[in-house]
Amino acid sequence: MLDSAKRAQIIALINQEVVPAVGCTEPMAVALCTARATELLGGRPEKITAYLSANIIKNAMGVGIPGTGMIGLPIAIALGALVGKSKYELEVIKDLTPEALEEGKAYIKNGKRIEIKLKNGIAEKLYIEVTSELDGHKATAIIADDHTNFVYEEFDGKVLKDNRKPEGESDEEQTINLDLHTVWDFATTSPVEEIRFILKTRDLNMSAAQESRKGNYGHCLGKTISRPLSHGIFGKTIFSEIISETALACDARMGGAMIPVMSNSGSGNQGICATNPVAVYARENDNTEEELIRALTLSHLTAIYIKQSLGKLSALCGCVVAGIGSSCGIVYLMGGDYQRVCYAVQNMIANLTGMICDGAKPSCSIKICSGVSSALLSALLSMEGEHVTAAEGIIDEDVDRSIRNLTSIGKEAMCPTDDMVLDIMTHKIC
């Protein structure tokens, strides 16, 4: 068992990275930054200018904004200014009412009040700068590196906060260095009462799946998998239940439902993918509550560990990271040991590495189901003692080096891919 100080550090890290969010985290982070700039301004802005990193723009272009029936950044920015409260963080617009929505629609109808620009010359992939103007006054707020991390605030030229990092300093502060064995030890040996809080991920994300059944969100993948035609193909199995319950939550979130989910490392979809497959397997397999708690902890902390070296936003689809986490959790529920978990990780990296992120959008549920399918396949293979070896591709004998190979490809080698994806997305005629 890890010592109490190390456990406390890891618990703090999980609580920092696993938080509730309403809607896609990128447009909600822009709304949050807008809300803070508006609070500093002290009144309803006449004009709002948002300077955003390419990855923020990519992840906010095609996703539904909760409770609006609309997509994209203009309505998110308008609502951030009109009803947003920065104290709510990624639930920033949870006070939205039908009246406020109509105000927001009227606010963006002018077309000149909101200006969205690409921020050039920055190292951060996650960067949001919003300036609000009213009666000759200006207020600016900046979020960087993390979706809720305010690093700069200014009003009428007076700097109120400046926590920006010097040029060249790492954009990802790691609060604690992890490796997969430490993740395993923490999840499997910590006193269960210390980690019981992780059940909130099940409660919130499985509730999102149930709420999703009440509407038709996104591409309705979750509902499609649960229908008789799909049962004729996949059967009414643990596999189909896992795919359906995971896709349902993602459908609702990407489709703009006003439904909170528990995110992981700044992504609601990653939170769903790290939670629902594990929770459904435990339910169908009659695992104990303690086993579920430990499996969810293993899943979420594995995803957090991988994201430490990958970064909050990258060209690599988050379903790869969260799928690895859920595969580890499922292996644990199957009775697997640490070696079997390592095998599952190697299998996942050999399969899904290279899946691109082309922004947040309804079809993310399809990618998540690809990740979950691979997670189950990798878990089953690992339990049979089968795994991809160091003689094959990018896999290394050491599981942590395999993870570094994955994150190096996602963070560095795929940067030109990311540029090309954004170019394609911004030049489409829709």
Side-chain angles (χ1 to χ4, degrees):
M1 182 187 294
L2 301 176
D3 63 64
S4 59
K6 188 71 172 284
R7 296 201 310 273
Q9 277 188 302
I10 295 175
I11 289 169
L13 176 63
I14 296 173
N15 282 318
Q16 173 186 311
E17 299 293 351
V18 180
V19 297
V22 175
C24 178
T25 47
E26 277 70 53
M28 288 304 98
V30 177
L32 172 63
C33 198
T34 305
R36 185 58 187 149
T38 301
E39 290 165 358
L40 295 172
L41 187 66
R44 177 172 171 167
E46 296 169 334
K47 181 174 176 58
I48 302 170
T49 306
Y51 295 90
L52 310 173
S53 62
N55 283 76
I56 290 290
I57 292 174
K58 180 182 75 172
N59 279 0
M61 286 177 60
V63 69
I65 306 304
T68 68
M70 302 170 70
I71 65 170
L73 282 168
I75 190 64
I77 290 171
L79 295 177
L82 297 176
V83 299
K85 291 184 176 64
S86 63
K87 66 181 181 181
Y88 293 160
E89 296 194 324
L90 293 179
E91 296 179 284
V92 57
I93 62 168
K94 70 178 183 179
D95 287 343
L96 179 64
T97 62
E99 294 75 22
L101 176 57
E102 292 308 311
E103 277 191 72
K105 290 178 179 178
Y107 191 87
I108 64 176
K109 193 173 183 180
N110 180 296
K112 296 181 180 179
R113 287 193 172 123
I114 296 174
E115 195 169 2
I116 300 167
K117 299 181 178 182
L118 176 65
K119 182 72 174 183
N120 293 309
I122 55 171
E124 297 94 342
K125 289 185 177 291
L126 197 166
Y127 183 91
I128 303 163
E129 177 182 330
V130 176
T131 296
S132 296
E133 302 177 43
L134 174 64
D135 295 334
H137 297 286
K138 286 186 179 182
T140 297
I142 298 175
I143 287 174
D145 297 333
D146 189 276
H147 293 77
T148 60
N149 183 38
F150 285 98
V151 298
Y152 186 84
E153 294 178 355
E154 176 188 302
F155 177 70
D156 280 350
K158 181 180 179 181
V159 177
L160 307 175
K161 173 192 284 190
D162 191 353
N163 294 332
R164 292 174 294 182
K165 294 171 186 168
E167 188 174 348
E169 187 173 322
S170 173
D171 63 350
E172 292 289 332
E173 286 189 6
Q174 295 184 12
T175 57
I176 180 172
N177 291 320
L178 295 171
D179 55 47
L180 193 62
H181 201 278
T182 299
V183 170
W184 168 265
D185 281 350
F186 176 83
T188 58
T189 66
S190 294
V192 71
E193 291 307 315
E194 289 186 4
I195 55 175
R196 183 175 293 277
F197 67 89
I198 203 69
L199 287 176
K200 293 177 183 177
T201 63
R202 175 204 58 185
D203 297 342
L204 212 55
N205 293 351
M206 291 296 287
S207 291
Q210 294 309 307
E211 286 296 314
S212 181
R213 295 182 186 278
K214 300 176 183 178
N216 291 316
Y217 297 105
H219 296 293
C220 296
L221 179 57
K223 283 189 168 182
T224 299
I225 296 297
S226 64
R227 286 172 178 156
L229 177 60
S230 296
H231 287 164
I233 298 171
F234 299 111
K236 192 170 176 58
T237 62
I238 296 177
F239 173 82
S240 64
E241 284 293 302
I242 286 174
I243 296 295
S244 178
E245 295 288 329
T246 305
L248 278 164
C250 183
D251 284 336
R253 179 174 177 268
M254 293 289 95
M258 200 69 171
I259 299 171
V261 302
M262 196 70 83
S263 64
N264 181 298
S265 303
S267 168
N269 283 346
Q270 285 173 192
I272 291 166
C273 191
T275 301
N276 289 24
V278 177
V280 174
Y281 186 89
R283 181 187 72 199
E284 298 298 315
N285 195 50
D286 290 329
N287 287 101
T288 67
E289 183 177 75
E290 178 176 341
E291 288 169 338
L292 173 60
I293 290 169
R294 296 194 184 281
L296 286 171
T297 302
L298 178 60
S299 178
H300 278 276
L301 190 55
T302 298
I304 292 168
Y305 161 47
I306 298 171
K307 292 292 283 187
Q308 280 187 327
S309 58
L310 180 63
K312 287 292 195 301
L313 298 177
S314 75
L316 188 70
C317 178
C319 81
V320 179
V321 175
I324 292 172
S326 61
S327 190
C328 293
I330 290 169
V331 167
Y332 175 81
L333 293 173
M334 289 176 170
D337 57 10
Y338 175 68
Q339 188 63 65
R340 294 298 192 274
V341 164
C342 291
Y343 288 170
V345 172
Q346 306 281 47
N347 293 339
M348 286 291 291
I349 293 173
N351 185 10
L352 287 185
T353 297
M355 181 180 284
I356 64 167
C357 170
D358 55 343
K361 58 209 175 302
S363 60
C364 284
S365 62
I366 304 174
K367 288 191 174 184
I368 278 185
C369 287
S370 296
V372 173
S373 298
S374 181
L376 289 163
L377 176 62
S378 297
L380 285 169
L381 280 173
S382 76
M383 292 302 292
E384 293 294 323
E386 296 291 340
H387 65 99
V388 180
T389 69
E392 304 172 68
I394 64 170
I395 299 305
D396 195 285
E397 289 289 354
D398 180 85
V399 69
D400 293 293
R401 282 199 291 268
S402 292
I403 289 170
R404 292 295 182 273
N405 293 343
L406 166 72
T407 58
S408 294
I409 289 170
K411 188 174 185 178
E412 299 167 24
M414 291 179 71
C415 284
T417 301
D418 216 17
D419 294 338
M420 178 61 74
V421 167
L422 184 65
D423 184 68
I424 292 169
M425 290 174 65
T426 55
H427 287 88
K428 287 190 299 183
I429 300 175
C430 298

